[in-house]
Amino acid sequence: MKAKYILPFFVALITSCGTTKTFPVSNLAPAAEITVKQKTDSNDNNEITVKAKYLASPDRVSRGATAYVVWLVSEENGVKNIGALYNENGEDSELETVTSFVGTEIFITAERQASISRPDGVEITRVKL
């Protein structure tokens, strides 16, 4: 491979991988292992994937909760609900979503409803992007 083709190849490879962060251990769900991966797609949107293992059922963390809602904090648009993680007693769960918002943080709450527009439940964990 010629030298002039190597640099663009590696730049494309690195930018397509994105960034993966691990959420800190939660006092409310200490066994949970949660990660978030964020990368930019070809349309300059952000692809976000949240994966959780060993996460207790939401009603065990907060009475009446039915889902873990994932929130994106962005400088331009404040706090946005980007989806929910559903699981039952430690099964793996995953959320994949695409958004035009650039996030600075992601946090997860245990909520009674997944389709809410503002966080109301107990915050489980938070990570800076």
Side-chain angles (χ1 to χ4, degrees):
M1 190 178 263
K2 292 188 176 189
K4 69 179 182 178
Y5 298 113
I6 292 174
L7 182 60
F9 172 76
F10 282 111
V11 169
L13 181 64
I14 290 169
T15 58
S16 68
C17 294
T19 304
T20 301
K21 300 275 186 158
T22 301
F23 283 84
V25 175
S26 167
N27 291 333
L28 296 172
E33 296 176 7
I34 308 169
T35 59
V36 60
K37 182 175 182 178
Q38 178 177 285
K39 68 179 185 176
T40 304
D41 69 12
S42 59
N43 295 318
D44 286 332
N45 289 316
N46 292 305
E47 295 178 0
I48 298 172
T49 303
V50 178
K51 293 183 179 182
K53 290 183 178 182
Y54 315 118
L55 190 59
S57 290
D59 62 336
R60 289 186 173 203
V61 173
S62 179
R63 188 193 322 216
T66 61
Y68 289 105
V69 177
V70 181
W71 303 92
L72 179 73
V73 180
S74 71
E75 291 181 12
E76 310 88 28
N77 297 302
V79 177
K80 297 290 179 190
N81 177 339
I82 59 169
L85 292 168
Y86 295 96
N87 85 1
E88 300 206 9
N89 296 323
E91 291 182 17
D92 295 352
S93 55
E94 183 173 323
L95 167 68
E96 292 181 345
T97 189
V98 177
T99 180
S100 61
F101 304 128
V102 177
T104 58
E105 286 184 303
I106 288 188
F107 66 98
I108 301 170
T109 59
E111 301 287 353
R112 291 180 185 268
Q113 297 177 25
S115 61
I116 59 175
S117 60
R118 292 280 171 230
D120 187 42
V122 177
E123 184 173 320
I124 305 303
T125 188
R126 176 184 295 251
V127 70
K128 291 186 185 267
L129 297 174

